[in-house]
Amino acid sequence: MLVASASPAVGSPCLPRSPGGGRGRRGGGARFGMIAARSAPVSVAPILKKLQKDCDTPVPVLRHVADAMAADMRGGLAADGGSDLKMILSYVDSLPSGNEKGLFYALDLGGTNFRVLRVQLGGKEDRVLATEFDQVTIPQELMFSTSEELFDFIASGLAKFADKEGGKFHLPTGRKREIGFTFSFPVKQISIDSGILIKWTKGFAVSGTAGKDVVACLNEAMERRGLDMRVSALVNDTVATLAGARYWDNDVMVAVILGTGTNACYVERTDAIPKLNGYVSTSGRTIINTEWGAFSNGLPLTEFDREMDAASINPGEQIYEKTISGMYLGEIVRRALVRMAEEGALFGKSIPDKLLTPFLLRTPDLCSMQKDESDDLQKVGSVLYDVAGVESNLGARKVVVEVCDTIAKRGGRLAGAGIVGILQKMEEDSEGLIFGKRTVVAMDGGLYENYSQYRGYMHGAVTELLGTELSRNVVIEHSKDGSGIGAALLAAANSNYEHDF
Ligand code: ADP
Ligand code: MG
């Protein structure tokens, strides 16, 4: 644990201005793209200490979060608007059996990227005969565009991909290509192949989609493009991940995404869903999409979280997501560093104003800084310099690593508490369903996949909450790209054409 105050950074030479720089927030001292730190700095140590205290997640805090998650799940199942959690019906009542056959497409609109995939399914014995996929980064400007522009872009990517369909893939004549559409934003599902966008999240502010059926939006764009394909299943990414993982393993009961945003879904008994309104599932079970990113009860928050939230496009919303998911961790750290630089002269007498750019520091940057095991934390130094134009000495670098660790630790541990909350709710309703036998939680998302410290903290919290005995049977498994195959499997299960599975 670092306690000493960081000594100011080495005398910084003039650093290049950031693009469009010079918008010094604190007037006065801005010179050469620098902002003056306070003349008589307080030490960095008390700011760091307060941050660590505010982010602390001892077991009682985690337990409260798990209990509140379980209670909010019940509230959301009782009635729409019954709690922060929407607990959305997925209309997915039957999980993949392994018998699915044929050529199916999947399309995934996640946040950072949009992916297309085709898979040739061979049934129980052969399973996945062939897959191909492509990935396109969503241009920043499309996140603030109109619905037509965004969906035209997607349809055009899909058309290019479908054009390249080759030898291993075969569609019987007279059939349309069918798509499982994974759409990772909150949707009020109306049926398995339609759903109304409730709101954009994860920084998207596309006009004209909220309140509309996103499948209709995609269909219209495909028509404009002359692309003859049909969406046969609209699914959330968590639901697709659960289906994809379940294809290989019958013990999968929960799926969690930790990527740009976060969400979770699980298999629920229909008799535990008071708000069903006459909806009948033949299997007696259905997948519930929790939309847990909206959870907010009892989270340990800092002034930096509150400031970030206030400046966000959805203030007061998605508080759990803003505390634990990849889109926000870097920004929370950046805000803490700015405070330490301004009030504690963390980086010497002046601060490059580049550091004042919101969302400049990204979660992968935190990850690469935390991976640095060199004595002089050279990698930390180069990330700070390359990303923010900040010159740092060893003391400052150590502080930066501590800040990253504090934010990653809180995020990972709170994610773990959320998972325990879901398992707890399932076990409370059906004793013996979860605990005491093998239960698999399928995980996916770039944050979980890449940030080993975060992942470790998450696992640690699950073990602390459940105890070693129970947690031994809870398997948290990375289901890499399971959502693509999962969406295709759900398209197969809901195909318009006759099938023998
Ligand atoms: P999406 O959530 O958009 O579907 P992904 O699941 O691929 O996308 O997750 C991408 C997110 O994962 C990024 O926005 C980032 O926050 C996080 N991420 C990616 N790489 C890393 C990394 N090396 N370390 C930490 N987080 C990462
Ligand atoms: Mg995703």
Side-chain angles (χ1 to χ4, degrees):
M1 165 105 29
L2 187 133
V3 270
S5 70
S7 44
V10 285
S12 326
C14 293
L15 295 168
R17 264 170 192 265
S18 60
R23 355 145 271 116
R25 250 187 350 165
R26 309 246 153 142
R31 199 160 61 92
F32 304 122
M34 304 282 211
I35 307 295
R38 263 196 197 168
S39 48
V42 295
S43 159
V44 165
I47 307 174
L48 178 61
K49 217 167 163 192
K50 177 162 185 341
L51 178 75
Q52 287 170 327
K53 183 167 160 278
D54 290 346
C55 289
D56 203 16
T57 50
V59 167
V61 168
L62 295 180
R63 186 143 284 140
H64 171 83
V65 167
D67 290 346
M69 185 68 77
D72 274 5
M73 287 170 73
R74 286 181 205 290
L77 289 172
D80 283 337
S83 80
D84 281 344
L85 303 201
K86 292 207 153 59
M87 305 301 283
I88 296 168
L89 297 177
S90 67
Y91 292 84
V92 173
D93 302 338
S94 51
L95 286 154
S97 63
N99 293 321
E100 294 80 359
K101 277 186 193 152
L103 168 62
F104 294 93
Y105 275 75
L107 193 162
D108 178 339
L109 182 62
T112 314
N113 297 304
F114 123 65
R115 299 180 191 89
V116 280
L117 167 142
R118 63 180 144 250
V119 56
Q120 188 78 38
L121 299 167
K124 202 94 194 164
E125 293 301 310
D126 295 325
R127 297 279 166 148
V128 175
L129 291 170
T131 56
E132 273 176 357
F133 76 98
D134 205 358
Q135 176 163 311
V136 186
T137 302
I138 299 167
Q140 191 79 18
E141 65 270 17
L142 279 183
M143 294 170 68
F144 304 95
S145 65
T146 65
S147 198
E148 282 80 14
E149 285 168 319
L150 177 66
F151 282 97
D152 280 346
F153 177 78
I154 293 166
S156 121
L158 183 59
K160 280 182 206 145
F161 180 67
D163 267 353
K164 286 184 283 180
E165 190 184 289
K168 287 183 225 151
F169 300 90
H170 173 70
L171 188 79
T173 41
R175 284 195 181 199
K176 272 192 184 194
R177 285 171 180 76
E178 293 182 299
I179 310 167
F181 181 18
T182 305
F183 185 77
S184 322
F185 299 90
V187 158
K188 166 113 179 115
Q189 197 103 20
I190 304 164
S191 66
I192 185 66
D193 61 357
S194 61
I196 306 285
L197 176 69
I198 297 169
K199 60 178 178 190
W200 289 106
T201 54
K202 297 182 273 190
F204 274 65
V206 175
S207 62
T209 329
K212 285 214 185 121
D213 176 6
V214 292
V215 173
C217 292
L218 178 61
N219 280 336
E220 285 159 20
M222 291 194 297
E223 252 167 58
R224 284 196 290 273
R225 173 88 205 188
L227 182 62
D228 192 23
M229 293 174 91
R230 169 185 175 265
V231 173
S232 54
L234 170 67
V235 289
N236 184 269
D237 55 349
T238 54
V239 176
T241 298
L242 199 156
R246 182 76 169 226
Y247 184 60
W248 304 105
D249 186 339
N250 266 324
D251 293 337
V252 176
M253 297 296 269
V254 179
V256 174
I257 303 289
L258 289 161
T260 308
T262 182
N263 193 9
C265 74
Y266 70 106
V267 181
E268 182 59 286
R269 286 184 359 225
T270 44
D271 60 9
I273 312 174
K275 69 174 180 186
L276 264 189
N277 287 335
Y279 172 72
V280 182
S281 141
T282 44
S283 65
R285 292 178 307 173
T286 192
I287 300 179
I288 293 288
N289 162 18
T290 64
E291 287 297 335
W292 82 358
F295 178 77
S296 64
N297 196 331
L299 298 173
L301 299 177
T302 69
E303 56 198 307
F304 309 112
D305 298 297
R306 294 194 181 90
E307 287 167 9
M308 177 181 73
D309 176 50
S312 72
I313 56 169
N314 52 352
E317 292 175 11
Q318 300 292 108
I319 303 299
Y320 190 50
E321 179 161 271
K322 285 171 179 162
T323 317
I324 73 170
S325 84
M327 177 166 170
Y328 303 99
L329 301 184
E331 173 62 5
I332 303 167
V333 168
R334 187 197 67 83
R335 285 175 180 269
L337 295 183
V338 167
R339 176 68 53 85
M340 289 174 170
E342 285 179 345
E343 294 186 5
L346 177 62
F347 302 119
K349 289 203 181 84
S350 49
I351 315 149
D353 62 0
K354 204 174 168 188
L355 188 64
L356 303 181
T357 311
F359 291 91
L360 176 83
L361 200 60
R362 297 165 324 120
T363 303
D365 299 326
L366 312 188
C367 179
S368 54
M369 289 196 281
Q370 279 209 264
K371 280 207 178 99
D372 189 352
E373 283 176 356
S374 65
D375 288 341
D376 56 353
L377 297 177
Q378 206 176 15
K379 179 74 192 166
V380 177
S382 64
V383 169
L384 289 172
Y385 186 77
D386 295 345
V387 174
V390 166
E391 295 246 353
S392 55
N393 61 18
L394 184 58
R397 292 173 193 176
K398 285 183 176 169
V399 173
V400 171
V401 173
E402 281 287 327
V403 173
C404 294
D405 191 59
T406 304
I407 299 306
K409 182 176 184 178
R410 178 185 64 165
R413 286 174 67 80
L414 290 174
I419 292 170
V420 171
I422 293 182
L423 297 174
Q424 210 172 288
K425 151 52 171 111
M426 294 171 84
E427 174 72 16
E428 278 163 16
D429 283 8
S430 317
E431 209 188 316
L433 177 71
I434 301 295
F435 296 142
K437 67 174 207 237
R438 185 171 179 273
T439 297
V440 178
V441 179
M443 304 286 306
D444 201 10
L447 175 63
Y448 178 80
E449 191 180 342
N450 296 300
Y451 204 161
S452 58
Q453 282 84 0
Y454 180 100
R455 201 166 57 226
Y457 286 130
M458 195 200 83
H459 284 274
V462 171
T463 311
E464 279 175 42
L465 280 173
L466 294 180
T468 33
E469 195 61 29
L470 288 184
S471 59
R472 205 167 289 142
N473 283 316
V474 172
V475 183
I476 299 182
E477 224 164 53
H478 184 203
S479 160
K480 183 154 175 59
D481 299 326
S483 70
I485 303 276
L489 287 164
L490 294 169
N494 295 286
S495 168
N496 248 10
Y497 305 102
E498 274 191 27
H499 48 74
D500 55 5
F501 50 82

